[in-house]
Every structure is written in structure tokens, then in C-alpha cells.
Amino acid sequence: MKLLRTLTTVFVAALAALSALAYAEERHLDFLRRLQEEGYGELAVEYVEQLEKTPDLPDDVREVLELEAGNSLRVAADEAANSEIADQRLADSQAHLDKFLQEHADHPAAVEAQNALGDIASLRGQLLIRQARTSSDKKKQEEQYKKARAALEQARPWFAKSVEGYQARLRQLAPAPATKKTAAPKGAVQKQPRRPTTRGQRETAAEREENEAFWLEARLKLALVDYYTAQTYTAPTDAARKAVLQEAAKGFDSIYQQYRTTEVGLYSHMWHGKTEDDLGNAQTALDIYDEVLANAPDTGQPRALTGLEPLFAQVELFRLTILKATGKTGEFVNEASEWVRLNAASRRTPGYQGIALEVAKAQIEQAQRLSGEDRRRTFTLALRALTEISKLRGEYQQEAFVLRRKYQQEGGALASDIASFDEGLSLGDSAASVGDWPAAASAYQKAIELGDKDAQRVVATRYRLAHALALAGKVTEAADLADQIARKDAASSVAPAAGALAVSGALALYAAAPDDQKQAALDRLIASADYVTGRWPNRPEADDARIALGQSHVVRGDVAGAIDVFEKVNPKSERYPLALFYAGRACWGAYLAEKQNSDASRDANRMGELRGKAEQRLTASLEAQRREAKPNEPLPRQLGETQLLLAEMALEHGDAAAAVPLLEPLVQFVQASKPQTLDLATFRTLVAALRAYVATGDLAKATAVQALVAEIGGDTPQVNSVLLELPRAVENQLKAAQAEATSAAEGSATEAAQARVQQTQATLAGLLDQVAGHQQHSLAAMVYIGDAYARLGLNDKARQVYQSILARAENEKNQPETERHFLPARSGPAAITRVRAQVVGLLRQEANYQEAMEQVTTLISENPRALEPLMEKGRILQAWAESEPKHSDAAVAHWSKLRTLLAAMQKKPPEYYEVVYNLAACLLAQYKQSRDASKLQQAEQLVKATLVLSPNLSGPDMVARYKALAEEVARAQGR
């Protein structure tokens, strides 16, 4: 402690010296805020004290010192040795922040103070919840939960104020620039702001981006207050608990729906999943977790960190917790152990620690059922994991301490107690078998230090150590050791594998290197790859080195260079199909990137060349992989990925027939494996298959895939958007069948056509029923479902959907635009007007004309420029005239007026052709009543003239209706 205080004093003195330079450059608080951001709260507190003693401190800096003292103490609370010290620091922080707000209520930084006060109250609430959960005294536990609830209620208004404050700032700033579409990670398309061109625009854009980030973070914190408040209710059925969880879910989802591809959006989606889990909706939670994890990079190899490791680890912990809660203990242990093994680079994240703790607890339960050496060894593995967990401060540290003390005597030797090379090697292998790579590395290191008479065994253990270090996230150490083995022990059996590990490590280091270190990292990668390819040119490891080098070209955007390196892989090598795949994928990625450019800047020739190269190399890779595939064995993952990519390319090119044979084996594999969750590869497969079957007209297979998507995917917006593709395709077929039935001659042809119509209607109704009960639909999707039901004459089902739309819209209409996720601000009102018109249409179909006319008149008065209510009024008058001819003139007058209005439009909407048809039909009906030949002549002129000017009308079904009406007019004229 004395040494720590001495170092701290020296550091603070250095900070004081640095602060003088900061003053000269008018950046008085930059270093302080950097300390806060990096989590050095205690040093930040001391630095604030140094600033307070500075005599010539500018006034604008001095007036925010109370704020900065509060912020620093809040950060320092996380460094506290125990909960009492943490609570005292939070109290001191609150006092400083309260004082700042009292003295500077109108200061621009007041919103930061409000946000910080919300943080303090929220942190207190979370600490109290944690204490309550570990308490065995029920009465004390209830008191702590009550205090936690009160603290969280104090946090709510502060966060609400900070949300309003940041939103006010955003309104004052210039609007965000126009957007353009760019390729997003994992093939998604998201909108990115156009790059600012002037310094002023860049500064404004940066300020807007910063404030938007603060605003989103405050919204997330506000929703988390509701979530944590729910944790203060111990009864799962408590109505208050359910209410706040539902409110939290709404808050999380509103952020995610608007910011799906951002970090805060993914965090919000994760918490939405946890909230659904707490509400008892485990499957919905699992679906959400899978959607978040679809953004995670592949595991199993040394790789650059993304910064989102804490998120993905926490999501995996939540997901595995559900698996364990459902009683699938064996499945949980296998999955959790495998995840820990593959994600050692995330070991310092809370999620990783939580999963590792659950694995250790499962090992303890297993050990208690064993005896002898098996019991000792299993306990040793669990104790090693608990030791590692207890080294890291966090919510799992205390439980790890308690468990380790409880079972300390059950375990075997720790790394520091290893007495022989064989014992160290055995313990290292045991730790590696369960993915405890830090423990494995420690044991291997001890074994190497003890040594062995067989030098080759030591070299092999050094390779094991390099491998363990790589999977423990120590990529630099692993790459250094592997390179040393490959060069100094080149004659050993593990040297080629060590060389490949050195290259893969160098690739990971290159990908993660900052710009000023990229060249050095690239030089290292090239040197490692050149050594391996030169030393073992014909071994698979040399081809691994070439592939890694090619991937470095992909990282640099050098597609031509990547392809050149990939194609240097020996065609006789077992890695050659993989190299071809990477080369083809690189070309396809470059093609898609070029396609994203505007029409003016897009290079069509280059696109054609890239597409051709991609198809050629992927096809060659597929053929080679098929030759190597073993019969009667599951489809290899790489082979499936190659087929899927080729199928997606064929669909993009409009060649669905070529995609079908590529996709069918993949669909059969999914059907046979019956996955419980819809991962990204499975989702891509089923979406591609559904679109291919629809495009080729194979509705039976499309329906089977549709059912599979619904079964595995559940009720999510992403899945629902796919599920509606098939009903839309079937409805197009229905229109064609109806046109055929309208045009068919009398007799068997008419009967067959009507039968096809009825069969297609039944198919469509079944597909609609399959998706109508889902909740996670967009407004447009729900409108389509309701309209489709109405077109089928299923009025009760249509009305139910429309009423649901109107209810959801009513709930959102008073919310700020930024918090709406169902009712779009621009298109929403028009859509709701259309829905209301459709509800009126249902009354018309039920012959309730009087009420329908009253409602449509009101709707037109409220929305005089909306077309749909005007169309519905005409339909009502026309239908009414069929039973009461006195309304006939009104129907003709209305359709005539609407025809004149729409005829003025340069591009005629589909409604125009319906208006002309209905007007002609009304004139024909008037002729039948009055025998006025002029009516018949007008009807004939309308139909013929419209067909001549627009032969295709609004589609084949409307053409068939026009021709049928023309024939009826001709018969009435005696022709």
C-alpha cells in the first residue's frame, strides 16, 4: 500500500505538470475526462483536488469542478474495496452533483449532471439488489429490496430529464445529412450519413453524433431502471413486476427497432431478450439472443477483438441460463464448456466469468457423484476455474471465493504445486479439454520449467503452450513462441503446425494493429508466411500460410492481390478448395461493393468481370469439395457454405432454377437436424430456398420451408418479413387464376378454373393464418394481412387484424417520433386512414350500407385528400344501388368525378382503372333499369378507349374483367 501511495503521488505530480501544458493549450479538462473514461476514478479525484488549488484556473473551468468531482467519485466507486466504501463514494458524488445543479441550473453541462445523478441512484439500487440476493435473512432481504426500489425510483426522473436534455440539444443542432446505402457487416444494408465536406459540417456532425450517443445511452438507462425495478419484486406473478418488465421491454425494443446495427441497439436487444425471459417468454428470449449473436465473429481462432466481446459474452450467459433452467443440464454443460474453450479472449468480461462459474458449479456437482482419482481431478478443474474467476473484481468474484474455500480440500495440486513434467502435462491437458486455457497455459509452463529427458516432449509441450496462449487471448506471446518453435526446432514434428499458428497469430495482430503499426504488423505476417511456405512448401501448413496472407489482402481491400495469393495454393493440396472459396468470396464481396455505388459511378464492366470470377472459382471449389466429400456422411460445413453462396449469387442474378438444386440438400439437412434456434447460416439457407421455390412456382416445397422458418424462427420481425413472402406470391397466383376463371368459356373449363381459384384461396388463407397470430409485425405487414383476408371475403379475420392495427396506432400516436416503432411518422397517418376505409369496406360487404356511408363521410371530411375513402364511398354507392336503384345516379356521379380527378395524373394509379371499370358497370346497370341506349354507348366507349390506351391496365386480372364487361355490353347491344 505504501508503494501504491508513493506511485500515486508521483503520478499526480506528473499530472499537475501536464496540466500546465493543458492550460497553455486551453484543454484544461481533457486529461481529467480521459482518466474518468479509462476508469481511473481515484486518480481523477486527486487531479480535481489539484485543479482546485490552482490559483489562475479559468472561471469556466472552475465552475464545473463540482460536476467533475461528482463524476470522478462516481467512477471511483467502481474501484472500491467493498460495498461500504462504494456507497460512501456514491453519496459524496451525489452531494457534489447536487451542489453543481443548485449553483448552475442553466449551465450547458446540467444535463450531464442529471444523467450522473441517475447513474448514482441506479447503481445504489443495483448494489442493494445484489446484497438482497445473497442475504439469508428474509426480513432483511425484503428491506433491501424496498430500499433498492426507492433508489431506482429516484433514478427514473433524472434519466428522463437527461433524455429530454440531450433531445433538446439534438433539435438545436443542424439536421443529420442525407443518407446513402452502404454495405453493412454480415451482408446487411444500412444507411450511413454522407461524409461532411467542410470543417464546420464535420464539427457539427461530430457534435450531433456525440449527443445522439448520449441520448440513446440515457434512453437505455431509463429502460434498465424499469428492468432492475422488476428485480425488487420476489414473486414472479406480482402484477407490479409484470408491468415494469413490460414497460422495460417496450423501451428496449423502441431503441433496437430504430438503431438495429449500432452497439446501443444490440445492447438494447439483449436486454429486451432478458426481459422477455423474466416475463416467462423463454423462446422469444432465445430468438432475440440468437439475433444478437448473429453479429458475433466466428470463434475458435486467434482474432482481433471487436470491442463487443462483453455484449456477446453476456448474451451467451443469458442464453445458456435458459438452457439450464429448462432442465437440459447435459446440453448446457457441453455448450457452456465449448463456448468457454472457444472464447478465452473474452475471459475478462462479466459474461465469460458468469459462464465459467456455471461450468465450475456443474463440475462440482459432477465431482460429488464420483470417487477416487476421477473425483479429485474433476474438483481440481473446478477449483482452477474458480481461482481464475476470483482474480477478477466483479459480481461473480465473491461466489467464486466462497465455493473455492468450501471445496479447497477436495481438489488436487495447483500449478504452483506441480512436482513433475508428467503432472504438469496431464493437468494442462485436462484444463485444455474443458477450455480452461489460462490454467492449461500455466500448467504447461510449469511442466516446461521442470523439463524432461525427452527433448521432443518438451518441444511438443511448448507448442501446446503456444496454442493455449493463443486461445487464452495472449496472441502476441503465442505468435512469438510458435515462431520460435518453427524456426529453432524446425526438425520437430510440431514445427509445421507451430509455423501455421505463428502465421494465424500474425494475421490476427495485423487485423488489430492501429494504423501507425499496420506496416510493421504486415511485415511480420509476410515474414512468417514466407518462412513457412519456404521451409515446408508442399505441406498443408504452407497453404494455410498462403491463405492467411491472402486474407490480409482482403483486409486491405486488395481483391486482386488476395486472389493472386489464394491461387498460389497448390492445386493438389487439400487446402486448394478452401483457397478457391476464399478467392470466389473475395470477388463476390467486391462485386457487391461495386453494386452499392450510384448508377453514375458504378462500373458495369468491372461488375461483370468480378461476378464471372466469383462464379468460376466458387464452382471449381464446389466441385473439388464434392469429390473429397465422403458418401453417407453429413454435409461438411464448408461445402454447405459454398453451395449457399452460389445459390445466393444465382438468385441475385434472377436464375432461381439454378439455385434450387444447390439449396435442396441444405434444406434437407436443416429438416433432418431439427435445430432449436435459427442461426445466421440456417436463416440464409431457408430464406434463399423460400425465394427460389416461389420464383420457380413450387408452392408445395415453398410451403414446407415456410413452416420450417416459422417453427424454428419464432415470432421476430426478421422472420415475419420472410414468412409474408409466400402469401404474397400465392396471391399473385390467385389473381392469375381469377383472371383465367373470368375469361373461361362455359362448361368444364369454367369448372376447372373455379376449382383452381378455390384451391388457391384455401392455400392463401392457411398461410395467412400461420402468420396472423404473430405480434412482431410492421404496420405495412399487418395492413397486408388484413387486406388479404378482406380480399378473400374472410371479414371477421380482416376486422380483427384492422382493429389490432388501430389499437396499436392509438397507443403510439402521442409518443415522440424517436420512440415509435410501429407507427411511422410520415407514412403512418395515411396507412391508418386506409385501414379505417377498409373497415368501412367490411360493413359494405355485409350490406350495412347506411352505417358504412356515415362512417366513410366522416372519414372523407377528416381526410379530404385521401384516395381510399373516396374509392370506398363509390363502392358503397354502387353496391347500394344494386338493391336500391335510387342510389344509381349518385354512384355514377361519384365515379365520374373521381375519374376526372385521376385522369389528370400523368402516371395512372391502379385505382384509376378500377374507377373506369366501376363507372362502366354502373352505366350498364342503369341501361338494364331504364333501357336508355346512351348509357350502354357510354359504357362501351369507356371500356374500349381505356383498353386501347392502356392494354395492360393494372394487371391481368383487371384486363380479364374489362374484357368480360365489354362482352356483356356487346350482348346487351344484340351483338
Side-chain angles (χ1 to χ4, degrees), residues 443-594:
Y444 290 143
Q445 182 64 56
K446 186 65 176 179
I448 292 166
E449 291 172 3
L450 292 169
D452 189 76
K453 293 180 180 179
D454 187 343
Q456 289 304 308
R457 289 186 74 200
V458 177
V459 174
T461 304
R462 292 176 68 213
Y463 171 71
R464 280 184 168 92
L465 173 59
H467 187 257
L469 288 169
L471 293 176
K474 298 181 178 180
V475 181
T476 302
E477 295 93 322
D480 289 344
L481 179 56
D483 191 63
Q484 188 182 82
I485 296 169
R487 293 177 186 275
K488 294 186 177 181
D489 299 288
S492 70
S493 61
V494 297
L501 179 59
V503 173
S504 64
L507 175 62
L509 292 171
Y510 168 70
D515 291 343
D516 61 340
Q517 298 176 26
K518 279 287 187 188
Q519 188 57 50
L522 180 60
D523 292 343
R524 172 178 179 152
L525 171 60
I526 293 172
S528 294
D530 286 347
Y531 173 76
V532 174
T533 55
R535 185 68 176 79
W536 302 284
N538 298 319
R539 286 187 61 94
E541 289 83 0
D543 292 326
D544 286 336
R546 295 184 182 103
I547 290 172
L549 198 57
Q551 288 175 310
S552 76
H553 283 278
V554 174
V555 172
R556 284 175 275 167
D558 180 10
V559 177
I563 294 171
D564 182 60
V565 174
F566 289 140
E567 293 184 345
K568 286 181 179 177
V569 172
N570 188 342
K572 296 181 180 180
S573 167
E574 63 185 50
R575 302 292 197 273
Y576 186 61
L578 181 62
L580 286 172
F581 170 80
Y582 280 125
R585 191 172 70 174
C587 290
W588 182 243
Y591 165 85
L592 293 176
E594 186 68 30

Side-chain angles (χ1 to χ4, degrees), residues 64 89 93 154 194 215 327 469 503 606 643 645 667 686 689 737 768 813 857 879 884:
V64 297
R89 287 178 178 174
S93 173
Q154 290 176 3
R194 294 190 181 278
W215 170 64
L469 288 169
V503 173
R606 183 169 184 267
Q643 287 190 189
L645 190 54
V667 174
L686 296 180
L768 292 172
K813 71 177 184 179
T857 301
E884 299 182 31

Side-chain angles (χ1 to χ4, degrees), residues 153-400:
E153 288 301 325
Q154 290 176 3
R156 190 189 308 278
W158 289 121
F159 286 140
K161 287 180 180 179
S162 65
V163 168
E164 293 172 1
Y166 289 127
Q167 198 165 22
R169 284 187 185 179
L170 288 173
R171 292 194 195 101
Q172 293 170 359
L173 294 171
T179 58
K180 62 180 179 180
K181 286 187 176 180
T182 60
K186 298 224 178 234
V189 175
Q190 63 179 352
K191 290 185 176 181
Q192 297 288 348
R194 294 190 181 278
R195 187 181 298 277
T197 55
T198 67
R199 179 178 179 180
Q201 288 177 341
R202 288 193 294 272
E203 291 175 351
T204 301
E207 185 179 2
R208 182 177 182 84
E209 183 178 351
E210 181 182 48
N211 277 280
E212 186 173 31
F214 289 149
W215 170 64
L216 288 172
E217 184 178 275
R219 286 176 61 192
L220 176 58
K221 290 175 181 178
L222 188 58
L224 281 169
V225 166
D226 289 322
Y227 174 78
Y228 286 121
T229 300
Q231 310 311 304
T232 65
Y233 297 95
T234 55
T237 58
D238 195 309
R241 175 183 180 274
K242 183 178 180 181
V244 288
L245 281 174
Q246 289 174 336
E247 190 64 26
K250 184 178 178 182
F252 294 135
D253 195 43
S254 69
I255 299 172
Y256 172 69
Q257 294 299 337
Q258 191 176 2
Y259 295 89
R260 286 171 176 251
T261 58
T262 64
E263 181 175 347
V264 71
L266 291 175
Y267 268 103
S268 298
H269 206 34
M270 174 191 77
W271 282 110
H272 184 198
K274 187 65 177 76
T275 306
E276 292 292 346
D277 182 17
D278 286 7
L279 282 166
N281 304 323
Q283 187 56 53
T284 300
L286 288 171
D287 292 339
I288 291 174
Y289 295 152
D290 285 339
E291 289 177 2
V292 178
L293 291 173
N295 296 274
D298 295 333
T299 57
Q301 295 295 331
R303 65 186 191 280
L305 298 181
T306 65
L308 293 177
E309 283 74 23
L311 166 67
F312 298 133
Q314 190 66 54
V315 174
E316 191 65 32
L317 173 59
F318 287 162
R319 190 185 74 80
L320 290 170
T321 301
I322 293 179
L323 198 64
K324 185 178 181 181
T326 56
K328 300 177 181 178
T329 307
E331 188 177 342
F332 160 76
V333 172
N334 290 337
E335 283 199 33
S337 300
E338 181 70 358
W339 189 91
V340 166
R341 184 180 72 82
L342 294 175
N343 290 273
S346 301
R347 63 180 295 272
R348 301 189 69 83
T349 65
Y352 180 100
Q353 295 297 306
I355 296 172
L357 178 60
E358 292 299 324
V359 172
K361 288 156 71 175
Q363 289 170 337
I364 289 173
E365 292 176 6
Q366 181 184 11
Q368 290 173 327
R369 297 191 294 269
L370 300 174
S371 60
E373 181 61 21
D374 289 338
R375 179 185 178 93
R376 185 194 69 82
R377 182 176 297 280
T378 307
F379 263 119
T380 297
L381 293 176
L383 289 168
R384 286 181 177 280
L386 293 172
T387 300
E388 293 300 317
I389 297 167
S390 63
K391 291 177 181 178
L392 294 175
R393 184 175 297 158
E395 59 182 298
Y396 305 106
Q397 185 183 45
Q398 186 61 34
E399 187 175 1

